[in-house]
Every structure is written in structure tokens, then in C-alpha cells.
Amino acid sequence: MIELRHVSRNFNGKTAVDDLNFKLYPGETLGIIGQNGAGKSTTFRMIMGFISPSKGQILINNKLIDEKVRGTFGFMPEERGLYQNETIINQMTYFGELHGMSHLNLRTNLRKWMKKLDVVGNFNDKIKDLSKGNAQKIQLIAVLMFEPRLIILDEPFSGLDPVNAELLNDAILESKRKGSMIIFSSHSMENVEKVSDKILMLKHGKTVLNDEIKNIYKGFIREYLTINGVQNTEFFKKYNGVSDIKQMKNGNIKMKLVNERIGRIIFKDIVKEYGYVPLFNQSYPSLEEIFKRKAVD
């Protein structure tokens, strides 16, 4: 278990992270979200020991973290750090040796991960000759291939297309199943929703959300209603507390409800009027919507 207890960090009198607390257990994933400058990267650097907290403690299994323990951590910074003129195998050999991997184990794991992440290239290709996406995958492999105890990924989805983002999601989930603790930041709320067990949102260094993702949604009502099978938007204008009625190009009608009870009333009326509709979905705000609301509070 990794735990941050009342962790703060000041720079020249300004607070970058203020009284941060969380616990993460083996096999759990924490998504850290927030606008630029919210304190995400500062938090990562404190965990990795690059900078020290001004206040508070960072613990593994209730003990302060030493360099030996940090050697079991894998970190991919937002500023990618591969040596451009080195080959993939030389680069990975260097990182593998830092973590005590044998050459046989290293090559086996590297081959496995290159195949799993669909890297276009071979062991002897130089980093500078890879596409940006493939170089990013190699950077990720450098973190994952020695099966770290704690994985920290700073904006890992940045610049990836949807197909490669999905491969990265799968890689994160595989490491999670093997028992790694995973902390990552992302501006892609869709990817955060897919792989996170817990969400931490920072705003100007302060915590505004910190809970399991299922509990965060429960703090809101199911205020969005999507229906397919009713062609006339006028049908919904008779209800008080219904707003933003929109006809979508895919045939869906979307609207916002002032409370959940209205959804039940609409459902009964639709069944009475139409008998059947192929889609009736009353949902919570998306994580992206929650993020936007909290960011402007």
C-alpha cells in the first residue's frame, strides 16, 4: 500500500500541493485529474523522491520510502526521456540493468510488450527513426517490462490515437491484474473512466474530489436522459423540469432533467404511448462534465 498523509509542497512561498491524502492498494488504479498547474506532476515528483514534501509523509506499507523501495517503482514523465541515437535494445538494456533484469528476461519481456503494444519496429531500430506514437510505446515498455510494484504515468495518453490509447488501456489493466499499484494523470476523461478505481481531482493544489469512482457518481443525480424510438421532440416539452431537448443525428433524443423522478414519469408515458423504445437511458453526468463543474466552482 502507498499512502500520502497530509502532504504539502511549497515553492517560493506558493503552495503547489496542499494537504494531500490518499491510499492505494496493490491491484488498484488511481486517476489524478486537474487543469494544468493543479499539482499533478509535483505529486508524482514527490512520490519518486525528486523533490521532498514541505509537510507530510509518503509511505509504503506504513514505512518511509528509501532508494531500494523506489527501485521497484516505474515512472513515465510527461517530458519523454529516451536517447534518440540509441537503438531500442540498447536503450531497454540500460533500463533493464538498472532494475536488475537478466539479458534473457529483458529480451523476452521486450519482445512480448512490443508485440502486445503493436510497436512498428525491431530491436535494432534507433529511437529517432520511430514515429512519435511508437517512441511513446517504447517509453512505456521501459516502465512496464520489469513489472514494477508502483507505476506512475504522467499524461500517458497524450498524442495517441484511439486505437493506440486502447492498447495502452489494456496494458495498464494487465499490470493492475498482476498486482501493481498504478497512478496516472490524463486530460482524457474517457480513458480515466475506463481504467480508474479511484479518482483524485486537484484544483490549485487543493483536493476537490477524492473517492472511488462509483461513489463520485453517486454524489450527483441521474440528470441526463437519452431516448431512441420517439421521433417527435414536442412529446417531451409538456413536462416541467425538462430542458435542453436535442434531436441528435443518430436519431437519439437527449434532454436534461431537474430530478430523477421525472424520468420515471416519462418512461411510463412512453410505454403507454409507444409500447416499446429500443433505448431509454437515464444517466449521471459524465466524468468530463463533473470535471468541468468542479473546475469552475
Side-chain angles (χ1 to χ4, degrees):
M1 175 190 74
I2 183 168
E3 180 180 7
L4 274 67
R5 294 181 184 170
H6 303 291
V7 170
S8 298
R9 174 67 199 198
N10 301 318
F11 293 100
N12 300 320
K14 294 183 178 180
T15 302
V17 174
D18 186 12
D19 195 31
L20 178 57
N21 296 273
F22 69 77
K23 293 180 181 180
L24 194 68
Y25 294 88
E28 289 186 338
T29 304
L30 172 68
I32 301 184
I33 60 177
Q35 294 174 296
N36 293 335
K40 304 185 296 294
S41 294
T42 299
T43 299
F44 293 156
R45 291 180 180 125
M46 286 190 289
I47 294 172
M48 291 303 301
F50 302 149
I51 57 176
S52 299
S54 302
K55 294 179 181 178
Q57 295 179 313
I58 302 175
L59 309 169
I60 287 282
N61 295 333
N62 296 311
K63 296 180 180 179
L64 292 174
I65 302 171
D66 57 25
E67 288 308 308
K68 182 178 180 181
V69 171
R70 281 201 178 90
T72 66
F73 296 176
F75 177 49
M76 187 170 88
E78 185 176 9
E79 305 83 12
R80 309 304 184 222
L82 297 175
Y83 297 100
Q84 296 298 307
N85 289 318
E86 288 291 348
T87 62
I88 292 174
I89 187 61
N90 286 347
Q91 183 87 116
M92 295 299 104
T93 298
Y94 170 73
F95 287 126
E97 288 177 346
L98 289 177
H99 295 284
M101 294 183 73
S102 70
H103 283 214
L104 176 60
N105 191 24
L106 183 146
R107 294 178 75 92
T108 300
N109 279 7
L110 176 57
R111 186 174 289 107
K112 179 193 78 171
W113 278 109
M114 286 181 68
K115 181 178 181 180
K116 191 178 296 290
L117 293 178
D118 197 22
V119 175
V120 178
N122 59 63
F123 280 10
N124 294 312
D125 286 341
K126 291 186 176 181
I127 302 298
K128 68 179 181 180
D129 295 326
L130 301 176
S131 68
K132 181 180 178 181
N134 283 303
Q136 191 162 330
K137 292 177 188 178
I138 293 299
Q139 177 103 44
L140 179 64
I141 291 171
V143 175
L144 299 179
M145 67 178 181
F146 68 95
E147 298 183 357
R149 180 182 191 178
L150 171 68
I151 298 169
I152 298 177
L153 307 172
D154 197 352
E155 295 294 341
F157 300 100
S158 177
L160 292 181
D161 59 62
V163 172
N164 284 314
E166 191 64 29
L167 289 172
L168 176 54
N169 278 335
D170 291 343
I172 291 174
L173 292 173
E174 178 173 335
S175 295
K176 168 186 164 76
R177 286 192 295 271
K178 290 181 178 179
S180 292
M181 298 175 288
I182 302 166
I183 306 174
F184 74 100
S185 68
S186 180
H187 290 297
S188 169
M189 297 301 107
E190 181 182 357
N191 289 315
V192 172
E193 283 183 296
K194 284 181 179 179
V195 300
S196 299
D197 300 300
K198 300 176 179 178
I199 298 290
L200 171 68
M201 181 177 174
L202 299 175
K203 182 180 179 182
H204 305 309
K206 295 182 180 294
T207 301
V208 295
L209 285 174
N210 187 9
D211 206 339
E212 293 184 32
I213 192 165
K214 62 182 180 181
N215 293 332
I216 288 174
Y217 287 128
K218 289 178 182 177
F220 298 82
I221 66 168
R222 294 182 182 270
E223 61 189 83
Y224 290 101
L225 181 59
T226 303
I227 298 171
N228 189 289
V230 179
Q231 300 302 318
N232 183 12
T233 59
E234 294 295 322
F235 179 88
F236 304 101
K237 293 182 179 179
K238 61 187 178 185
Y239 298 99
N240 292 326
V242 174
S243 61
D244 297 332
I245 304 170
K246 297 177 183 177
Q247 178 78 59
M248 313 305 290
K249 290 182 178 179
N250 61 3
N252 291 347
I253 295 176
K254 292 188 174 183
M255 64 201 77
K256 188 174 181 181
L257 310 178
V258 71
N259 60 54
E260 294 187 356
R261 182 179 59 84
I262 298 173
R264 298 188 188 99
I265 295 171
I266 293 174
F267 179 78
K268 290 179 181 178
D269 290 349
I270 285 178
V271 171
K272 183 178 179 180
E273 181 79 16
Y274 292 90
Y276 167 79
V277 289
L279 175 66
F280 187 99
N281 180 33
Q282 190 171 343
S283 61
Y284 295 111
S286 67
L287 186 59
E288 183 171 357
E289 174 99 6
I290 293 171
F291 172 80
K292 289 176 180 177
R293 293 183 192 181
K294 292 292 183 179
V296 300
D297 279 349

